[in-house]
Amino acid sequence: MPLNIVVCVKNVPSTLAVPVDPATGLPKTAGLVFAMNPFDEYAVEEAVRIKEKTPGTTITAVALGPESDGAVLREAISRGCDAGVLLSGAELQGGDNFSVSRALAAAIQKLSAEKPVHLALFGKSTNDDNSGVVGGQVAAWLGWPGVLFVKKIESIDENSAVLCRMMEDGVDKLKVKLPAAVGTVKEINEPRVPSLKGKMAAKKAAIPTWTAADLGLKPEEAGAAGARVKVARSSAPPPRPAGTRIAGATPAQTAEKLVAALIERKLI
Amino acid sequence: MSQQKILVIALLQRGVVSPAVYELLTAGRSLANVLKQPLAAYLPGGTAEQAKELVERGADRVLWSGHAALKDFNDELHAQAVLAAAAQEQPSWVLIPGSVAGRSLACRVAVKLGAGLATDINEIDPASGAVKRSHYSGNLQATMEFKSPVRVVTVQAMVFPQAPAQAGRAGEVTELAYAPAAAGTEFISFQAEEAGEIDLGGAERIVSGGRGVGGADGFKAIRDLAHALGAAVAASRAAVDSGWIPYRHQVGLTGRTVRPKLYVACGISGQVQHLAGMSSAANIVAINTDPECPMMQQATYLVVGDMFELLPLIVAEIKKRRGQPVAA
């Protein structure tokens, strides 16, 4: 039976060197080039692979951000998603993981009301905030099973999925009832680049925008007002102290000097 | 000031209290001292003996639930158990290990408590209640303030020292009844990694190889040094993507974030994506043929040279110092 899949994606700065605005003490992202969060490519690819194995499956990409973030949904469509929905409007902006996951959960519920969603896929984390919790929080809001750090979807049908989760000391195998939310890691697949056909579809796609009100959220439940944490300020970490060059007349002497230095510092 | 209770979640890993929990007890103790509160811990799936050990390591009060359903980590069942403990304790701070299980658990617990969640924190200011964590992949350090009365945090591994055991320390140990509810997640099995492998997240020493390792065979030199140092083995994305070593060893933006006392980077140029995963290591040794590579700018000790020539010599020197036989 075909599945109905949602993939949550985010538009993030494509550089890691984000400056701090001296006036606000906060990261300044205006003017930077944005692209799909690289970890989300794995989630999109996994959805497309499920679709290839289960014909008739539909994939909707959902993003939350400013109007310009429609671009990330077109990128998702070019990679094989069927449709995109942008959650936007002033009330949804400036959120934290709590309010963003709440809005995404509300969007998944709204999509489910039209056609039941079986699976919501997420990247490992986003390049900007690095929290890696929104997928798990969406599961909590919806009362669904939620499994993060998934390196393999071993099997999936409309009722359940068998997942391999990468733990620190090995691999957990879990069976979850669907619907469920799944966070992926890089090992799950190798994302393909957008196809020409996909790019054409992306160009033509109509991307609806849903506001907080469309999602049934009160203003105090959305965006900055609905957030539970905020970044008060941000700064570059202190630079590392200058290092010491270790060099001997021969490689053996270099090795000797290095080991002596490490022992002196009680590092080995 | 209202009472701000602190609850440490003492997660087990395969039946053993995770060392990260002892780090949480250190972080929790400093909070407890400033807030003048007892330090409480909840041990899901543990034993009375393990609960007593938490008391010896600084908890004033330990709740534990020994149910078999909590033996392996199950997001829903563990969250249910932790929420029951939280309902009893009414904590203002919930401290959770920054592990896969800890992060997974924190998501559900924070939403159900209506609480703010900050992950992988590396600093707590008990007086103001603010925490610090890195964002933009280690390029910036953020100060986070909570707007909710309850704060849920996961704590980055290796930031706080492990609380030492003080034999005979007094505290309260109470069993908390737990009956598993229906869950949509069923634990099937666990497949362990090779025996004897040291986990990167908790490793004090790491030896890591990059593009300069040149191939899967080249990692033998890395492993030999790691073995001599009692270190974990890591790799850059270039080495993992080339298929020389499995993904679980990858350090960096797309892999693990580590914070060892010593990180030996061999043949790793130090691209910003790799630095994102290891730049908070206390000491870095860079071994590279290129004296200008970015890793050299990060390094505590800079060694310019061929890693294949140097690593066996370093291993031999360590063995010599320890009075161990040196292979010819």
Side-chain angles (χ1 to χ4, degrees):
Chain A
M1 195 179 123
L3 299 171
N4 190 22
I5 302 176
V6 167
V7 187
C8 293
V9 296
K10 188 178 183 188
N11 217 18
V12 297
S14 53
T15 172
L16 298 179
V18 172
V20 173
D21 183 342
T24 62
L26 296 173
K28 189 182 175 189
T29 57
L32 297 177
V33 175
F34 278 66
M36 181 187 285
N37 173 46
F39 301 118
D40 297 344
E41 293 177 12
Y42 300 94
V44 169
E45 175 70 22
E46 197 58 22
V48 172
R49 290 186 186 204
I50 294 169
K51 181 180 170 172
E52 285 168 349
K53 280 190 223 150
T54 317
T57 290
T58 45
I59 309 169
T60 305
V62 177
L64 187 153
E67 280 298 327
S68 54
D69 280 4
V72 76
L73 294 166
R74 292 188 195 280
E75 171 74 16
I77 293 169
S78 75
R79 290 173 177 271
C81 294
D82 299 294
V85 177
L86 181 64
L87 315 184
S88 198
E91 283 172 340
L92 288 171
Q93 310 303 322
D96 70 342
N97 52 52
F98 189 88
S99 59
V100 166
S101 62
R102 189 177 208 165
L104 291 171
I108 291 167
Q109 245 167 355
K110 191 170 156 74
L111 289 165
S112 276
E114 293 165 30
K115 188 174 154 191
V117 171
H118 299 92
L119 179 69
L121 285 166
F122 296 81
K124 178 179 84 119
S125 57
T126 56
N127 248 355
D128 48 0
D129 187 60
N130 309 130
S131 284
V133 291
V134 166
Q137 289 174 311
V138 165
W141 285 111
L142 295 170
W144 290 3
V147 182
L148 306 181
F149 299 93
V150 170
K151 57 174 262 177
K152 191 177 179 190
I153 298 179
E154 210 166 83
S155 63
I156 184 165
D157 61 27
E158 70 276 20
N159 299 313
S160 65
V162 175
L163 310 169
C164 297
R165 168 168 64 193
M166 196 169 107
M167 303 298 282
E168 286 83 359
D169 57 346
V171 179
D172 277 348
K173 191 183 277 194
L174 304 161
K175 184 173 184 181
V176 293
K177 285 184 191 151
L178 300 187
V182 168
T184 55
V185 294
K186 176 197 163 207
E187 200 177 10
I188 197 164
N189 58 46
E190 270 182 55
R192 287 163 285 188
V193 294
S195 66
L196 188 63
K197 191 177 151 222
K199 284 181 183 169
M200 299 289 286
K203 208 178 263 181
K204 281 187 287 186
I207 305 225
T209 297
W210 294 350
T211 63
D214 295 330
L215 296 172
L217 294 174
K218 296 177 198 137
E220 67 269 24
E221 294 171 337
R228 295 291 187 271
V229 293
K230 67 164 192 179
V231 178
R233 58 197 167 272
S234 192
S235 57
R240 297 187 68 93
T244 309
R245 181 74 157 266
I246 306 272
T250 63
Q253 277 183 14
T254 304
E256 208 181 307
K257 281 188 175 181
L258 177 66
V259 172
L262 295 178
I263 287 172
E264 198 193 318
R265 275 264 188 113
K266 295 190 168 61
L267 294 173
I268 62 175
Chain B
M1 190 160 79
S2 65
Q3 293 203 341
Q4 291 197 32
K5 292 189 181 176
I6 306 134
L7 183 64
V8 163
I9 307 303
L11 288 181
L12 302 175
Q13 194 181 32
R14 317 300 155 201
V16 178
V17 177
S18 152
V21 169
Y22 306 147
E23 299 173 13
L24 294 188
L25 289 173
T26 298
R29 173 46 60 198
S30 63
L31 264 174
N33 288 348
V34 173
L35 300 173
K36 300 189 169 46
Q37 289 293 319
L39 177 60
Y42 175 56
L43 174 67
T47 63
E49 280 307 305
Q50 289 170 325
K52 281 179 200 144
E53 199 207 340
L54 298 179
V55 168
E56 292 197 334
R57 289 188 186 258
D60 298 308
R61 170 180 162 72
V62 181
L63 301 171
W64 64 283
S65 305
H67 202 283
L70 299 172
K71 184 177 150 282
D72 295 294
F73 178 69
N74 181 317
D75 300 70
E76 291 168 82
L77 297 182
H78 274 75
Q80 181 209 346
V82 167
L83 289 166
Q88 181 163 327
E89 289 294 304
Q90 298 287 317
S92 298
W93 287 88
V94 181
L95 273 53
I96 301 177
S99 58
V100 169
R103 188 187 287 189
S104 305
L105 176 68
C107 299
R108 206 168 281 267
V109 168
V111 167
K112 297 291 182 193
L113 293 177
L117 168 58
T119 56
D120 276 335
I121 64 160
N122 52 43
E123 208 178 310
I124 303 177
D125 178 5
S128 72
V131 300
K132 289 188 180 176
R133 61 182 298 274
S134 86
H135 63 169
Y136 293 96
S137 309
N139 283 275
L140 295 175
Q141 168 94 332
T143 301
M144 313 288 297
E145 290 175 358
F146 288 83
K147 301 201 286 179
S148 53
V150 183
R151 301 166 165 91
V152 178
V153 296
T154 71
V155 179
Q156 193 185 354
M158 308 293 286
V159 172
F160 295 94
Q162 295 182 14
Q166 306 159 54
R169 190 178 177 279
E172 189 189 330
V173 170
T174 312
E175 184 170 8
L176 183 65
Y178 169 78
T185 309
E186 182 195 339
F187 183 88
I188 300 176
S189 63
F190 169 68
Q191 175 76 50
E193 292 306 345
E194 304 156 40
E197 196 170 85
I198 299 168
D199 174 53
L200 287 171
E204 294 219 319
R205 287 175 288 273
I206 292 174
V207 182
S208 188
R211 196 182 297 278
V213 175
D217 295 346
F219 267 92
K220 185 182 179 301
I222 301 281
R223 284 196 191 89
D224 287 347
L225 178 58
H227 187 70
L229 293 175
V233 172
S236 73
R237 180 172 186 163
V240 171
D241 282 357
S242 303
W244 303 340
I245 185 163
Y247 169 61
R248 65 174 189 278
H249 293 278
Q250 186 173 323
V251 163
L253 192 53
T254 29
R256 304 278 300 273
T257 301
V258 297
R259 206 177 164 115
K261 280 202 304 197
L262 176 66
Y263 190 90
V264 184
C266 307
I268 301 178
S269 64
Q271 287 189 16
V272 64
Q273 289 83 354
H274 188 74
L275 299 179
M278 46 65 71
S279 60
S280 54
N283 295 276
I284 296 168
V285 174
I287 301 177
N288 210 298
T289 49
D290 176 7
E292 304 299 324
C293 72
M295 186 61 84
M296 291 289 179
Q297 283 146 35
Q298 301 289 321
T300 321
Y301 296 110
L302 300 70
V303 183
V304 178
D306 177 359
M307 57 167 274
F308 292 108
E309 193 169 27
L310 284 163
L311 296 194
L313 292 168
I314 295 168
V315 170
E317 179 65 20
I318 292 166
K319 286 186 175 170
K320 198 172 96 188
R321 292 254 188 170
R322 289 184 184 151
Q324 292 170 354
V326 178

